[in-house]
Amino acid sequence: MSTSRPPRARGLFHHVELWTDDLAVAAEQWGPVLLALGCEPFQHWPSGRSWRLGDAYLVIEQSPALLPGGHQRLRAGLNHLAVHGGRPAVAAALAAGWTVRVDTGEAVHLIDRQGFELEIVLHAGGPA
């Protein structure tokens, strides 16, 4: 009889990597929110940090290969990241300096100081 590992969730993210102009600011703002969402610190190196939840992880990196110009969510690329969460995660984000872009009652869209948007979905089955 073979003992095999359960299959990984096909189609779910392995990891997401966000490049930032300012790693210190990004870690200061993203870290508390990710902890409130149940993520654990995962990796730490001079130009980056990561947090893990299960098999998936989020990387924030200030890469030396980064082109100047900053993030702009309305340009081609990542518009926003949406996660299941709740009001405690929103409170952690606000305490870390995020601002509310819109609160629909089902989800809260937050903007960090570098222009990244995080949508925290408050209820199962809410908008993504």
Side-chain angles (χ1 to χ4, degrees):
M1 177 175 268
S2 131
T3 58
S4 63
R5 293 176 52 174
R8 301 219 184 254
R10 229 178 243 281
L12 293 181
F13 291 108
H14 180 270
H15 71 275
V16 173
E17 187 166 329
L18 300 176
W19 280 16
T20 178
D21 286 321
D22 190 327
L23 177 61
V25 168
E28 177 184 305
Q29 289 201 280
W30 283 86
V33 179
L34 295 168
L35 291 174
L37 290 168
C39 298
E40 299 175 347
F42 180 39
Q43 299 162 316
H44 187 283
W45 65 102
S47 62
R49 310 283 180 275
S50 69
W51 293 261
R52 176 173 54 193
L53 182 60
D55 287 337
Y57 61 97
L58 178 90
V59 174
I60 307 244
E61 183 175 6
Q62 186 173 347
S63 171
L66 181 72
L67 296 175
H71 174 72
Q72 175 41 265
R73 70 178 196 82
L74 297 178
R75 291 196 179 119
L78 181 71
N79 177 269
H80 71 281
L81 184 64
V83 297
H84 292 284
R87 292 285 173 189
V90 173
L94 295 174
W98 293 72
T99 57
V100 174
R101 188 174 75 74
V102 65
D103 182 342
T104 67
E106 293 184 349
V108 179
H109 295 252
L110 300 148
I111 303 285
D112 77 358
R113 288 185 288 196
Q114 296 185 74
F116 288 100
E117 181 177 338
L118 177 65
E119 176 184 351
I120 299 178
V121 179
L122 303 174
H123 309 289

